[in-house]
mmCIF file of all heavy atoms in Angstrom:
data_model
loop_
_atom_site.group_PDB
_atom_site.id
_atom_site.type_symbol
_atom_site.label_atom_id
_atom_site.label_comp_id
_atom_site.label_asym_id
_atom_site.label_seq_id
_atom_site.Cartn_x
_atom_site.Cartn_y
_atom_site.Cartn_z
ATOM 1 N N ASP A 172 13.076 9.174 12.849
ATOM 2 C CA ASP A 172 12.607 8.658 11.564
ATOM 3 C C ASP A 172 11.138 9.159 11.378
ATOM 4 O O ASP A 172 10.435 8.781 10.556
ATOM 5 C CB ASP A 172 12.556 7.108 11.786
ATOM 6 C CG ASP A 172 11.944 6.524 12.901
ATOM 7 O OD1 ASP A 172 11.523 7.366 13.724
ATOM 8 O OD2 ASP A 172 11.951 5.366 13.165
ATOM 9 N N ASN A 173 10.775 10.253 12.157
ATOM 10 C CA ASN A 173 9.383 10.631 12.042
ATOM 11 C C ASN A 173 9.508 12.213 11.853
ATOM 12 O O ASN A 173 9.049 12.948 12.712
ATOM 13 C CB ASN A 173 8.626 10.280 13.232
ATOM 14 C CG ASN A 173 7.204 10.655 13.226
ATOM 15 O OD1 ASN A 173 6.680 11.143 12.204
ATOM 16 N ND2 ASN A 173 6.401 10.477 14.325
ATOM 17 N N LYS A 174 10.022 12.580 10.694
ATOM 18 C CA LYS A 174 10.453 13.979 10.534
ATOM 19 C C LYS A 174 9.307 15.051 10.603
ATOM 20 O O LYS A 174 9.398 16.107 11.082
ATOM 21 C CB LYS A 174 11.186 14.173 9.178
ATOM 22 C CG LYS A 174 12.498 13.327 9.205
ATOM 23 C CD LYS A 174 13.186 13.626 7.817
ATOM 24 C CE LYS A 174 14.073 12.481 7.518
ATOM 25 N NZ LYS A 174 13.556 11.134 7.267
ATOM 26 N N GLN A 175 8.080 14.565 10.241
ATOM 27 C CA GLN A 175 6.980 15.422 10.219
ATOM 28 C C GLN A 175 6.593 15.948 11.593
ATOM 29 O O GLN A 175 6.017 16.997 11.712
ATOM 30 C CB GLN A 175 5.734 14.711 9.602
ATOM 31 C CG GLN A 175 5.872 14.382 8.230
ATOM 32 C CD GLN A 175 5.317 15.556 7.311
ATOM 33 O OE1 GLN A 175 4.915 16.549 7.804
ATOM 34 N NE2 GLN A 175 5.674 15.297 6.054
ATOM 35 N N ARG A 176 6.803 15.094 12.521
ATOM 36 C CA ARG A 176 6.382 15.467 13.944
ATOM 37 C C ARG A 176 4.881 15.691 14.066
ATOM 38 O O ARG A 176 4.459 16.628 14.687
ATOM 39 C CB ARG A 176 7.122 16.577 14.570
ATOM 40 C CG ARG A 176 8.160 16.104 15.631
ATOM 41 C CD ARG A 176 8.795 17.205 16.319
ATOM 42 N NE ARG A 176 10.059 17.521 15.620
ATOM 43 C CZ ARG A 176 10.591 18.762 15.793
ATOM 44 N NH1 ARG A 176 10.017 19.768 16.428
ATOM 45 N NH2 ARG A 176 11.653 18.976 15.096
ATOM 46 N N ASN A 177 4.124 14.989 13.271
ATOM 47 C CA ASN A 177 2.678 14.997 13.440
ATOM 48 C C ASN A 177 2.425 14.240 14.670
ATOM 49 O O ASN A 177 2.783 13.065 14.902
ATOM 50 C CB ASN A 177 2.003 14.319 12.265
ATOM 51 C CG ASN A 177 2.323 14.989 10.967
ATOM 52 O OD1 ASN A 177 2.371 16.173 10.847
ATOM 53 N ND2 ASN A 177 2.588 14.192 9.870
ATOM 54 N N ILE A 178 1.484 14.832 15.541
ATOM 55 C CA ILE A 178 1.136 14.195 16.705
ATOM 56 C C ILE A 178 -0.295 14.313 16.982
ATOM 57 O O ILE A 178 -0.928 15.338 16.985
ATOM 58 C CB ILE A 178 1.927 14.846 17.954
ATOM 59 C CG1 ILE A 178 3.358 14.884 17.748
ATOM 60 C CG2 ILE A 178 1.610 14.033 19.164
ATOM 61 C CD1 ILE A 178 4.197 15.530 18.833
ATOM 62 N N ALA A 179 -0.894 13.162 17.301
ATOM 63 C CA ALA A 179 -2.301 13.048 17.715
ATOM 64 C C ALA A 179 -2.245 12.680 19.159
ATOM 65 O O ALA A 179 -1.719 11.672 19.603
ATOM 66 C CB ALA A 179 -3.131 11.970 16.958
ATOM 67 N N PHE A 180 -3.064 13.432 20.010
ATOM 68 C CA PHE A 180 -3.123 13.174 21.441
ATOM 69 C C PHE A 180 -4.461 12.647 21.803
ATOM 70 O O PHE A 180 -5.531 13.323 21.489
ATOM 71 C CB PHE A 180 -2.878 14.450 22.265
ATOM 72 C CG PHE A 180 -1.522 15.129 22.179
ATOM 73 C CD1 PHE A 180 -1.355 16.231 21.279
ATOM 74 C CD2 PHE A 180 -0.461 14.605 22.859
ATOM 75 C CE1 PHE A 180 -0.158 16.741 21.036
ATOM 76 C CE2 PHE A 180 0.826 15.215 22.643
ATOM 77 C CZ PHE A 180 0.958 16.265 21.775
ATOM 78 N N TYR A 181 -4.536 11.421 22.323
ATOM 79 C CA TYR A 181 -5.829 10.799 22.515
ATOM 80 C C TYR A 181 -6.198 10.853 24.044
ATOM 81 O O TYR A 181 -5.375 10.296 24.872
ATOM 82 C CB TYR A 181 -5.787 9.335 22.060
ATOM 83 C CG TYR A 181 -7.038 8.728 21.804
ATOM 84 C CD1 TYR A 181 -7.443 8.331 20.504
ATOM 85 C CD2 TYR A 181 -7.982 8.525 22.928
ATOM 86 C CE1 TYR A 181 -8.676 7.711 20.392
ATOM 87 C CE2 TYR A 181 -9.255 8.003 22.646
ATOM 88 C CZ TYR A 181 -9.613 7.612 21.334
ATOM 89 O OH TYR A 181 -10.868 7.092 21.167
ATOM 90 N N MET A 182 -7.382 11.473 24.322
ATOM 91 C CA MET A 182 -7.639 11.625 25.751
ATOM 92 C C MET A 182 -8.527 10.420 26.218
ATOM 93 O O MET A 182 -9.742 10.463 26.207
ATOM 94 C CB MET A 182 -8.554 12.903 25.984
ATOM 95 C CG MET A 182 -7.887 14.147 25.524
ATOM 96 S SD MET A 182 -6.485 14.583 26.564
ATOM 97 C CE MET A 182 -5.407 15.315 25.288
ATOM 98 N N ALA A 183 -7.875 9.299 26.590
ATOM 99 C CA ALA A 183 -8.548 8.257 27.091
ATOM 100 C C ALA A 183 -8.540 8.241 28.665
ATOM 101 O O ALA A 183 -8.361 7.218 29.297
ATOM 102 C CB ALA A 183 -7.962 6.903 26.609
#
Side-chain angles (χ1 to χ4, degrees):
D172 48 5
N173 185 4
K174 300 185 198 63
Q175 293 272 357
R176 252 186 270 155
N177 296 321
I178 308 179
F180 297 99
Y181 200 116
M182 305 289 143

